[in-house]
């Protein structure tokens, strides 16, 4: 995605300035450092669960359904807990 955006911006610049688009043919790859590691499964599942819980909570408030609101709040808290576990697991696996 990042590479596509770079190419699109480069092409737009090339077209606007009248330069040949050959200058944008080489893609630029972004090297990840340790702080940009991919999220582990617990982090992803927890964040998704948290978002779904928030949607249910808001839907419960909007419709006046206390049970949906409470279920959403509980799901949101469970998601935060799972994400925090994933964060701790990730931190424990980092070298140093």
């Amino acid at each position: 995605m990042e590479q596509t955006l770079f190419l699109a911006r480069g092409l737009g610049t090339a077209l606007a300035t009248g330069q040949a688009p050959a200058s944008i043919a080489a893609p630029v790859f972004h090297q990840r450092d340790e702080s940009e590691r991919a999220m582990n499964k617990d982090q992803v599942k927890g964040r998704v669960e948290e978002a779904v819980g928030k949607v249910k909570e808001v839907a419960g408030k909007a419709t006046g359904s206390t049970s949906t609101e409470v279920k959403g709040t509980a799901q949101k808290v469970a998601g935060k807990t799972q994400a925090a576990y994933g964060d701790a697991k990730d931190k424990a696996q980092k070298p140093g």
Side-chain angles (χ1 to χ4, degrees):
M1 183 72 160
E2 183 177 321
Q3 180 181 2
T4 305
L5 291 176
F6 170 78
L7 292 174
R9 266 186 278 146
L11 181 59
T13 303
L15 292 175
T17 60
Q19 295 175 351
S23 63
I24 61 164
V28 174
F29 294 101
H30 178 70
Q31 296 293 325
R32 290 184 177 192
D33 60 4
E34 280 298 310
S35 66
E36 295 182 86
R37 289 178 40 183
M39 292 178 20
N40 64 39
K41 289 181 183 179
D42 289 305
Q43 289 171 312
V44 172
K45 287 180 180 179
R47 301 255 175 356
V48 168
E49 203 66 21
E50 186 179 349
V52 170
K54 181 64 177 175
V55 169
K56 283 184 182 178
E57 182 182 16
V58 170
K61 285 181 182 179
T63 61
S65 173
T66 306
S67 83
T68 302
E69 184 179 347
V70 170
K71 287 177 186 176
T73 302
Q75 189 172 5
K76 186 173 73 171
V77 169
K80 281 185 179 185
T81 303
Q82 186 173 10
Y85 169 74
D87 292 342
K89 190 165 82 171
D90 188 51
K91 188 174 182 179
Q93 290 177 351
K94 283 188 179 177

Coordinates of all heavy atoms in Angstrom, one line a residue:
M1 N 0.8 -1.2 0.0 CA 0.0 0.0 0.0 C 0.9 1.3 0.0 O 0.7 2.2 -0.8 CB -0.9 0.0 1.2 CG -1.9 1.1 1.3 SD -3.1 0.9 0.0 CE -4.4 1.9 0.6
E2 N 1.9 1.3 0.9 CA 2.8 2.4 1.0 C 3.5 2.6 -0.3 O 3.6 3.7 -0.8 CB 3.8 2.2 2.1 CG 4.7 3.4 2.3 CD 5.6 3.1 3.5 OE1 5.2 2.5 4.5 OE2 6.8 3.5 3.4
Q3 N 3.9 1.5 -0.9 CA 4.6 1.6 -2.2 C 3.7 2.1 -3.3 O 4.1 3.0 -4.1 CB 5.1 0.2 -2.6 CG 5.8 0.1 -3.9 CD 6.2 -1.3 -4.2 OE1 5.9 -2.2 -3.5 NE2 6.9 -1.5 -5.3
T4 N 2.4 1.7 -3.3 CA 1.5 2.2 -4.3 C 1.3 3.7 -4.2 O 1.2 4.4 -5.1 CB 0.1 1.5 -4.1 OG1 0.4 0.1 -4.2 CG2 -0.8 1.9 -5.2
L5 N 1.2 4.2 -2.9 CA 1.0 5.6 -2.7 C 2.2 6.4 -3.2 O 2.0 7.4 -3.8 CB 0.7 5.9 -1.2 CG -0.6 5.4 -0.7 CD1 -0.7 5.6 0.8 CD2 -1.8 6.0 -1.4
F6 N 3.4 5.8 -2.9 CA 4.6 6.5 -3.4 C 4.6 6.6 -4.9 O 4.8 7.7 -5.4 CB 5.8 5.8 -2.9 CG 7.1 6.3 -3.5 CD1 7.7 7.4 -3.1 CD2 7.7 5.6 -4.6 CE1 8.8 7.9 -3.7 CE2 8.8 6.1 -5.2 CZ 9.4 7.2 -4.7
L7 N 4.2 5.5 -5.6 CA 4.2 5.6 -7.0 C 3.2 6.5 -7.6 O 3.4 7.2 -8.5 CB 4.0 4.2 -7.6 CG 5.1 3.2 -7.3 CD1 4.7 1.8 -7.8 CD2 6.4 3.6 -8.0
A8 N 2.0 6.6 -6.9 CA 1.0 7.5 -7.4 C 1.4 8.9 -7.2 O 1.2 9.7 -8.1 CB -0.3 7.2 -6.6
R9 N 2.0 9.2 -6.1 CA 2.4 10.6 -5.8 C 3.5 11.0 -6.8 O 3.5 12.0 -7.3 CB 3.0 10.7 -4.4 CG 1.9 11.2 -3.4 CD 2.5 11.5 -2.1 NE 2.6 10.2 -1.4 CZ 3.5 9.8 -0.6 NH1 4.4 10.6 -0.3 NH2 3.5 8.6 -0.1
G10 N 4.4 10.0 -7.1 CA 5.5 10.3 -8.0 C 5.0 10.5 -9.4 O 5.5 11.4 -10.1
L11 N 4.0 9.7 -9.8 CA 3.4 9.9 -11.1 C 2.7 11.2 -11.3 O 2.9 12.0 -12.3 CB 2.5 8.8 -11.4 CG 1.8 8.8 -12.8 CD1 2.8 8.7 -13.9 CD2 0.8 7.6 -13.0
G12 N 2.0 11.6 -10.2 CA 1.3 12.9 -10.2 C 2.3 14.1 -10.3 O 2.1 15.0 -11.1
T13 N 3.4 14.0 -9.6 CA 4.5 15.0 -9.7 C 5.1 15.0 -11.1 O 5.3 16.1 -11.6 CB 5.6 14.7 -8.6 OG1 4.9 14.6 -7.4 CG2 6.6 15.8 -8.7
A14 N 5.3 13.8 -11.6 CA 6.0 13.7 -13.0 C 5.0 14.4 -14.0 O 5.5 15.1 -14.9 CB 6.3 12.3 -13.3
L15 N 3.7 14.1 -13.9 CA 2.8 14.6 -14.9 C 2.6 16.1 -14.7 O 2.5 16.8 -15.7 CB 1.5 13.9 -14.8 CG 1.4 12.4 -15.2 CD1 0.1 11.8 -14.9 CD2 1.8 12.2 -16.6
A16 N 2.6 16.6 -13.5 CA 2.5 18.0 -13.2 C 3.7 18.8 -13.7 O 3.5 19.9 -14.2 CB 2.2 18.2 -11.8
T17 N 4.9 18.3 -13.6 CA 6.1 19.0 -13.9 C 6.5 18.7 -15.4 O 7.4 19.4 -15.9 CB 7.2 18.6 -13.0 OG1 7.5 17.2 -13.1 CG2 6.9 19.0 -11.6
G18 N 5.9 17.8 -16.0 CA 6.2 17.5 -17.4 C 7.5 16.6 -17.5 O 8.0 16.4 -18.6
Q19 N 7.9 16.0 -16.4 CA 9.1 15.1 -16.5 C 8.6 13.7 -16.9 O 7.5 13.3 -16.8 CB 9.7 15.0 -15.1 CG 10.3 16.3 -14.6 CD 10.8 16.1 -13.2 OE1 10.6 15.1 -12.5 NE2 11.5 17.1 -12.7
A20 N 9.5 13.0 -17.4 CA 9.3 11.6 -17.8 C 9.0 10.7 -16.6 O 9.7 10.8 -15.6 CB 10.4 11.0 -18.6
P21 N 7.9 9.9 -16.6 CA 7.6 9.1 -15.5 C 8.6 8.0 -15.2 O 8.5 7.2 -14.3 CB 6.2 8.5 -15.8 CG 5.9 8.8 -17.2 CD 6.9 9.8 -17.7
A22 N 9.6 7.8 -16.0 CA 10.7 6.8 -15.8 C 11.4 7.0 -14.4 O 11.9 6.0 -13.9 CB 11.7 6.8 -16.9
S23 N 11.4 8.2 -13.9 CA 12.0 8.4 -12.6 C 11.3 7.8 -11.5 O 11.9 7.7 -10.4 CB 12.1 9.9 -12.4 OG 10.9 10.5 -12.3
I24 N 10.1 7.3 -11.6 CA 9.4 6.7 -10.5 C 9.3 5.2 -10.7 O 8.5 4.5 -9.9 CB 8.0 7.3 -10.4 CG1 7.2 7.0 -11.7 CG2 8.0 8.7 -10.0 CD1 5.7 7.2 -11.5
A25 N 9.9 4.6 -11.6 CA 9.8 3.2 -11.9 C 10.4 2.3 -10.8 O 9.8 1.2 -10.5 CB 10.5 2.8 -13.2
A26 N 11.4 2.7 -10.1 CA 12.0 1.9 -9.0 C 11.2 2.1 -7.7 O 11.0 3.2 -7.2 CB 13.4 2.3 -8.8
P27 N 10.6 1.0 -7.2 CA 9.8 1.1 -5.9 C 10.8 1.4 -4.7 O 11.9 1.0 -4.7 CB 9.2 -0.3 -5.8 CG 10.1 -1.2 -6.6 CD 10.7 -0.4 -7.7
V28 N 10.2 2.0 -3.7 CA 10.9 2.3 -2.5 C 10.4 1.4 -1.4 O 9.2 1.4 -1.2 CB 10.8 3.8 -2.1 CG1 11.4 4.0 -0.7 CG2 11.4 4.7 -3.1
F29 N 11.2 0.5 -0.9 CA 10.7 -0.4 0.2 C 11.1 0.1 1.5 O 12.2 0.6 1.7 CB 11.4 -1.8 -0.1 CG 10.9 -2.4 -1.3 CD1 11.7 -2.4 -2.4 CD2 9.6 -3.0 -1.4 CE1 11.3 -3.0 -3.6 CE2 9.2 -3.6 -2.5 CZ 10.0 -3.6 -3.7
H30 N 10.2 0.0 2.4 CA 10.4 0.5 3.8 C 10.9 -0.6 4.7 O 10.3 -1.7 4.7 CB 9.0 1.0 4.3 CG 9.1 1.5 5.8 ND1 9.7 2.6 6.1 CD2 8.6 0.9 6.9 CE1 9.6 2.8 7.4 NE2 8.9 1.8 7.9
Q31 N 12.0 -0.5 5.3 CA 12.6 -1.5 6.2 C 12.0 -1.3 7.6 O 12.1 -0.2 8.1 CB 14.1 -1.3 6.2 CG 14.8 -1.6 4.9 CD 14.6 -3.1 4.5 OE1 14.6 -4.0 5.3 NE2 14.5 -3.3 3.2
R32 N 11.5 -2.3 8.2 CA 11.0 -2.3 9.5 C 12.1 -2.4 10.5 O 13.0 -3.2 10.4 CB 10.0 -3.4 9.8 CG 8.7 -3.3 9.0 CD 7.8 -4.4 9.4 NE 6.5 -4.2 8.7 CZ 5.4 -4.8 9.0 NH1 5.4 -5.7 9.9 NH2 4.3 -4.6 8.3
D33 N 12.0 -1.6 11.6 CA 12.9 -1.8 12.7 C 12.1 -2.6 13.8 O 11.0 -2.9 13.7 CB 13.5 -0.5 13.2 CG 12.4 0.5 13.7 OD1 11.3 0.1 13.7 OD2 12.8 1.6 14.1
E34 N 12.8 -2.8 14.9 CA 12.2 -3.6 16.0 C 10.9 -3.0 16.5 O 10.0 -3.7 17.0 CB 13.2 -3.9 17.1 CG 14.2 -5.0 16.8 CD 13.5 -6.3 16.6 OE1 12.7 -6.7 17.4 OE2 13.8 -7.0 15.6
S35 N 10.8 -1.7 16.5 CA 9.6 -1.0 17.1 C 8.4 -1.2 16.2 O 7.3 -0.9 16.6 CB 9.9 0.5 17.4 OG 10.1 1.1 16.1
E36 N 8.5 -1.6 15.0 CA 7.4 -1.8 14.0 C 7.1 -3.2 13.8 O 6.7 -3.5 12.7 CB 7.8 -1.1 12.7 CG 8.0 0.4 12.8 CD 8.2 1.0 11.5 OE1 7.3 1.3 10.8 OE2 9.4 1.2 11.1
R37 N 7.3 -4.1 14.7 CA 7.0 -5.5 14.5 C 5.5 -5.7 14.3 O 4.7 -4.9 14.8 CB 7.4 -6.3 15.7 CG 9.0 -6.4 15.8 CD 9.5 -7.1 16.9 NE 8.7 -8.3 17.2 CZ 8.9 -9.1 18.2 NH1 9.9 -8.8 19.0 NH2 8.2 -10.2 18.5
A38 N 5.1 -6.8 13.6 CA 3.7 -7.1 13.4 C 3.1 -7.5 14.8 O 3.8 -8.0 15.7 CB 3.6 -8.2 12.4
M39 N 1.8 -7.2 14.9 CA 1.1 -7.6 16.1 C 0.9 -9.1 16.1 O 0.7 -9.7 15.1 CB -0.3 -6.9 16.1 CG -0.1 -5.4 16.3 SD -1.6 -4.3 16.2 CE -2.9 -5.3 16.6
N40 N 0.9 -9.6 17.4 CA 0.6 -11.1 17.5 C -0.9 -11.3 17.5 O -1.7 -10.4 17.6 CB 1.4 -11.6 18.8 CG 0.9 -11.0 20.1 OD1 -0.3 -10.8 20.2 ND2 1.8 -10.8 21.0
K41 N -1.2 -12.6 17.5 CA -2.7 -13.0 17.4 C -3.5 -12.4 18.6 O -4.6 -12.0 18.4 CB -2.8 -14.5 17.4 CG -2.4 -15.1 16.1 CD -2.6 -16.6 16.1 CE -2.0 -17.2 14.9 NZ -2.2 -18.7 14.9
D42 N -2.9 -12.4 19.8 CA -3.7 -11.9 20.9 C -3.9 -10.4 20.8 O -5.0 -9.9 21.2 CB -3.0 -12.2 22.2 CG -3.0 -13.7 22.6 OD1 -4.2 -14.3 22.6 OD2 -2.0 -14.3 22.7
Q43 N -3.0 -9.7 20.3 CA -3.1 -8.3 20.1 C -4.2 -8.0 19.1 O -5.1 -7.1 19.3 CB -1.8 -7.6 19.7 CG -0.8 -7.6 20.8 CD 0.6 -7.1 20.2 OE1 1.0 -7.6 19.2 NE2 1.2 -6.2 20.9
V44 N -4.2 -8.7 18.0 CA -5.2 -8.5 16.9 C -6.6 -8.8 17.4 O -7.5 -8.1 17.3 CB -4.8 -9.3 15.7 CG1 -5.9 -9.2 14.6 CG2 -3.5 -8.8 15.1
K45 N -6.7 -10.0 18.0 CA -8.0 -10.5 18.4 C -8.6 -9.6 19.5 O -9.8 -9.3 19.5 CB -7.9 -11.9 19.0 CG -7.8 -13.0 17.9 CD -7.7 -14.4 18.5 CE -7.5 -15.4 17.4 NZ -7.4 -16.8 18.0
G46 N -7.7 -9.1 20.4 CA -8.1 -8.3 21.5 C -8.6 -6.9 21.0 O -9.6 -6.4 21.4
R47 N -7.9 -6.3 20.0 CA -8.3 -5.0 19.5 C -9.6 -5.2 18.7 O -10.5 -4.3 18.8 CB -7.2 -4.5 18.6 CG -5.9 -4.3 19.4 CD -5.5 -2.9 19.7 NE -4.4 -2.5 20.5 CZ -3.5 -3.2 21.1 NH1 -3.5 -4.5 21.0 NH2 -2.5 -2.7 21.8
V48 N -9.8 -6.3 18.0 CA -11.0 -6.5 17.2 C -12.2 -6.7 18.2 O -13.2 -6.1 18.1 CB -10.9 -7.7 16.3 CG1 -12.3 -8.1 15.8 CG2 -9.9 -7.4 15.2
E49 N -12.0 -7.5 19.2 CA -13.0 -7.7 20.3 C -13.4 -6.4 20.9 O -14.5 -6.1 21.2 CB -12.4 -8.7 21.3 CG -13.5 -9.5 22.0 CD -14.3 -10.4 21.2 OE1 -13.9 -10.8 20.1 OE2 -15.4 -10.7 21.7
E50 N -12.4 -5.6 21.2 CA -12.6 -4.3 21.9 C -13.5 -3.4 21.0 O -14.4 -2.7 21.4 CB -11.3 -3.6 22.1 CG -11.3 -2.4 22.9 CD -10.0 -1.8 23.2 OE1 -8.9 -2.4 23.0 OE2 -9.9 -0.6 23.6
A51 N -13.2 -3.4 19.7 CA -13.9 -2.5 18.7 C -15.4 -3.0 18.6 O -16.3 -2.2 18.6 CB -13.2 -2.5 17.4
V52 N -15.5 -4.4 18.5 CA -16.9 -4.9 18.4 C -17.7 -4.6 19.6 O -18.9 -4.3 19.6 CB -16.8 -6.5 18.1 CG1 -18.2 -7.1 18.2 CG2 -16.2 -6.7 16.7
G53 N -17.0 -4.7 20.8 CA -17.7 -4.4 22.1 C -18.1 -3.0 22.1 O -19.2 -2.6 22.6
K54 N -17.3 -2.1 21.6 CA -17.6 -0.6 21.6 C -18.8 -0.4 20.7 O -19.7 0.4 21.1 CB -16.4 0.2 21.1 CG -16.6 1.7 21.1 CD -16.9 2.2 22.5 CE -17.0 3.7 22.4 NZ -17.4 4.3 23.7
V55 N -18.9 -1.0 19.6 CA -20.0 -0.9 18.7 C -21.3 -1.4 19.3 O -22.3 -0.7 19.3 CB -19.8 -1.6 17.3 CG1 -21.0 -1.7 16.5 CG2 -18.7 -1.0 16.5
K56 N -21.2 -2.5 20.0 CA -22.4 -3.0 20.7 C -22.8 -2.1 21.8 O -24.0 -1.9 22.0 CB -22.1 -4.4 21.3 CG -22.1 -5.5 20.3 CD -21.9 -6.9 21.0 CE -21.9 -8.0 20.0 NZ -21.6 -9.3 20.6
E57 N -21.9 -1.6 22.5 CA -22.2 -0.6 23.6 C -22.9 0.6 23.1 O -23.9 1.0 23.7 CB -20.9 -0.2 24.3 CG -21.0 0.7 25.5 CD -19.7 1.1 26.1 OE1 -18.6 0.9 25.5 OE2 -19.7 1.6 27.2
V58 N -22.4 1.2 22.0 CA -23.0 2.4 21.4 C -24.4 2.0 20.9 O -25.3 2.8 21.1 CB -22.1 3.0 20.4 CG1 -22.8 4.0 19.6 CG2 -20.8 3.5 21.0
A59 N -24.5 0.9 20.3 CA -25.8 0.4 19.7 C -26.8 0.3 20.9 O -28.0 0.6 20.7 CB -25.7 -0.9 18.9
G60 N -26.4 -0.3 22.0 CA -27.2 -0.5 23.1 C -27.7 0.9 23.7 O -28.9 1.0 24.0
K61 N -26.8 1.8 23.7 CA -27.2 3.2 24.2 C -28.2 3.8 23.3 O -29.1 4.5 23.7 CB -25.9 4.1 24.4 CG -25.1 3.7 25.6 CD -23.9 4.7 25.6 CE -23.0 4.3 26.8 NZ -21.8 5.2 26.9
A62 N -27.9 3.7 22.0 CA -28.8 4.3 21.0 C -30.2 3.7 20.9 O -31.1 4.5 20.7 CB -28.1 4.2 19.6
T63 N -30.3 2.4 21.2 CA -31.6 1.8 21.1 C -32.2 1.7 22.5 O -33.4 1.3 22.6 CB -31.5 0.4 20.5 OG1 -30.6 -0.4 21.4 CG2 -30.9 0.4 19.1
G64 N -31.5 2.1 23.5 CA -32.1 2.0 24.9 C -32.0 0.6 25.4 O -32.7 0.3 26.4
S65 N -31.3 -0.3 24.8 CA -31.2 -1.7 25.3 C -30.1 -1.9 26.3 O -28.9 -1.9 25.9 CB -31.0 -2.6 24.1 OG -30.7 -4.0 24.5
T66 N -30.4 -1.9 27.5 CA -29.4 -2.0 28.6 C -28.6 -3.3 28.5 O -27.4 -3.3 28.7 CB -30.1 -2.0 30.0 OG1 -30.9 -0.8 30.0 CG2 -29.1 -1.9 31.1
S67 N -29.3 -4.4 28.1 CA -28.5 -5.7 28.0 C -27.5 -5.6 26.9 O -26.4 -6.1 27.1 CB -29.5 -6.9 27.8 OG -29.9 -7.0 26.5
T68 N -27.8 -5.1 25.8 CA -26.8 -4.9 24.7 C -25.7 -4.0 25.1 O -24.5 -4.3 24.8 CB -27.5 -4.4 23.4 OG1 -28.6 -5.3 23.0 CG2 -26.5 -4.3 22.3
E69 N -26.0 -3.0 25.8 CA -25.0 -2.0 26.3 C -24.1 -2.7 27.2 O -22.8 -2.6 27.1 CB -25.7 -0.8 26.9 CG -24.7 0.2 27.4 CD -25.4 1.4 28.0 OE1 -26.6 1.6 27.9 OE2 -24.7 2.2 28.6
V70 N -24.6 -3.5 28.2 CA -23.8 -4.2 29.2 C -22.9 -5.3 28.5 O -21.8 -5.4 28.8 CB -24.7 -4.8 30.3 CG1 -23.9 -5.7 31.2 CG2 -25.3 -3.7 31.1
K71 N -23.5 -6.0 27.6 CA -22.8 -7.1 26.8 C -21.6 -6.4 26.1 O -20.5 -7.0 26.0 CB -23.7 -7.8 25.9 CG -24.6 -8.8 26.6 CD -25.5 -9.5 25.6 CE -26.6 -10.3 26.3 NZ -27.5 -10.9 25.4
G72 N -21.9 -5.3 25.4 CA -20.9 -4.6 24.7 C -19.7 -4.1 25.6 O -18.6 -4.2 25.2
T73 N -20.1 -3.6 26.8 CA -19.1 -3.1 27.7 C -18.2 -4.3 28.2 O -17.0 -4.2 28.2 CB -19.7 -2.4 28.9 OG1 -20.5 -1.3 28.4 CG2 -18.7 -1.9 29.9
A74 N -18.9 -5.4 28.5 CA -18.1 -6.6 28.9 C -17.2 -7.1 27.8 O -16.0 -7.5 28.0 CB -19.1 -7.7 29.3
Q75 N -17.7 -7.1 26.5 CA -16.9 -7.6 25.4 C -15.7 -6.6 25.2 O -14.6 -7.0 24.9 CB -17.7 -7.6 24.2 CG -17.0 -8.3 23.0 CD -18.0 -8.5 21.8 OE1 -19.1 -8.2 21.8 NE2 -17.5 -9.2 20.8
K76 N -15.9 -5.3 25.4 CA -14.9 -4.3 25.2 C -13.8 -4.5 26.3 O -12.6 -4.5 26.0 CB -15.5 -2.9 25.3 CG -14.5 -1.8 25.1 CD -15.2 -0.4 25.0 CE -15.5 0.0 26.4 NZ -16.0 1.4 26.5
V77 N -14.2 -4.8 27.5 CA -13.2 -5.0 28.6 C -12.4 -6.3 28.3 O -11.2 -6.4 28.5 CB -13.9 -5.1 30.0 CG1 -13.0 -5.6 31.1 CG2 -14.5 -3.7 30.3
A78 N -13.1 -7.3 27.9 CA -12.4 -8.6 27.5 C -11.4 -8.4 26.4 O -10.3 -9.0 26.5 CB -13.5 -9.7 27.2
G79 N -11.8 -7.6 25.4 CA -10.9 -7.3 24.3 C -9.6 -6.5 24.8 O -8.5 -6.8 24.4
K80 N -9.9 -5.6 25.7 CA -8.7 -4.8 26.3 C -7.8 -5.7 27.0 O -6.6 -5.6 26.9 CB -9.2 -3.7 27.2 CG -9.7 -2.5 26.5 CD -10.1 -1.4 27.4 CE -10.6 -0.1 26.7 NZ -10.8 1.0 27.6
T81 N -8.4 -6.6 27.8 CA -7.6 -7.6 28.5 C -6.8 -8.5 27.6 O -5.6 -8.7 27.9 CB -8.5 -8.4 29.4 OG1 -9.3 -7.6 30.3 CG2 -7.7 -9.4 30.3
Q82 N -7.4 -9.0 26.6 CA -6.7 -9.9 25.7 C -5.6 -9.1 24.9 O -4.5 -9.6 24.7 CB -7.6 -10.5 24.6 CG -6.9 -11.5 23.8 CD -7.9 -12.3 22.9 OE1 -9.1 -11.9 22.8 NE2 -7.4 -13.3 22.2
A83 N -5.8 -7.9 24.5 CA -4.8 -7.0 23.9 C -3.7 -6.7 24.8 O -2.5 -6.8 24.4 CB -5.5 -5.8 23.4
A84 N -4.0 -6.5 26.1 CA -2.9 -6.2 27.1 C -2.1 -7.4 27.3 O -0.8 -7.3 27.4 CB -3.5 -5.8 28.4
Y85 N -2.7 -8.6 27.3 CA -1.9 -9.9 27.4 C -1.0 -10.0 26.2 O 0.2 -10.4 26.3 CB -2.9 -11.1 27.4 CG -2.2 -12.4 27.3 CD1 -1.4 -12.9 28.3 CD2 -2.3 -13.1 26.1 CE1 -0.8 -14.1 28.1 CE2 -1.7 -14.3 25.9 CZ -0.9 -14.9 27.0 OH -0.3 -16.0 26.8
G86 N -1.5 -9.7 25.0 CA -0.7 -9.8 23.8 C 0.4 -8.8 23.8 O 1.5 -9.1 23.4
D87 N 0.2 -7.6 24.3 CA 1.2 -6.6 24.4 C 2.3 -7.1 25.4 O 3.5 -6.9 25.1 CB 0.6 -5.3 25.0 CG -0.3 -4.6 24.0 OD1 -0.2 -4.9 22.8 OD2 -1.1 -3.7 24.4
A88 N 1.9 -7.7 26.5 CA 2.9 -8.2 27.5 C 3.7 -9.3 26.9 O 4.9 -9.4 27.1 CB 2.2 -8.6 28.8
K89 N 3.0 -10.2 26.2 CA 3.7 -11.3 25.5 C 4.7 -10.8 24.5 O 5.8 -11.3 24.4 CB 2.6 -12.2 24.9 CG 3.2 -13.5 24.4 CD 2.1 -14.5 24.1 CE 1.5 -14.3 22.7 NZ 0.5 -15.4 22.3
D90 N 4.3 -9.8 23.7 CA 5.2 -9.2 22.7 C 6.4 -8.6 23.4 O 7.5 -8.7 22.9 CB 4.4 -8.2 21.9 CG 5.2 -7.7 20.7 OD1 5.7 -8.5 19.9 OD2 5.3 -6.5 20.5
K91 N 6.1 -7.9 24.5 CA 7.2 -7.2 25.2 C 8.2 -8.2 25.8 O 9.4 -8.0 25.7 CB 6.7 -6.3 26.3 CG 7.7 -5.4 26.9 CD 7.1 -4.5 27.9 CE 8.2 -3.6 28.5 NZ 7.6 -2.6 29.5
A92 N 7.7 -9.3 26.3 CA 8.5 -10.4 26.8 C 9.4 -11.0 25.8 O 10.5 -11.5 26.1 CB 7.7 -11.4 27.6
Q93 N 8.9 -11.1 24.5 CA 9.7 -11.8 23.5 C 10.7 -10.9 22.8 O 11.6 -11.4 22.1 CB 8.7 -12.2 22.4 CG 7.8 -13.4 22.8 CD 6.8 -13.8 21.8 OE1 6.7 -13.1 20.8 NE2 6.1 -14.9 22.0
K94 N 10.6 -9.6 23.1 CA 11.6 -8.6 22.5 C 13.0 -8.9 23.1 O 13.1 -9.1 24.3 CB 11.2 -7.2 22.7 CG 10.1 -6.7 21.8 CD 9.9 -5.3 21.9 CE 8.8 -4.8 20.9 NZ 8.5 -3.4 21.1
P95 N 14.0 -8.9 22.3 CA 15.4 -9.0 22.8 C 15.8 -7.8 23.7 O 15.5 -6.7 23.3 CB 16.2 -9.2 21.6 CG 15.5 -8.6 20.5 CD 14.0 -8.7 20.8
G96 N 16.6 -8.1 24.7 CA 17.1 -7.0 25.5 C 16.3 -6.6 26.5 O 15.9 -6.0 27.2

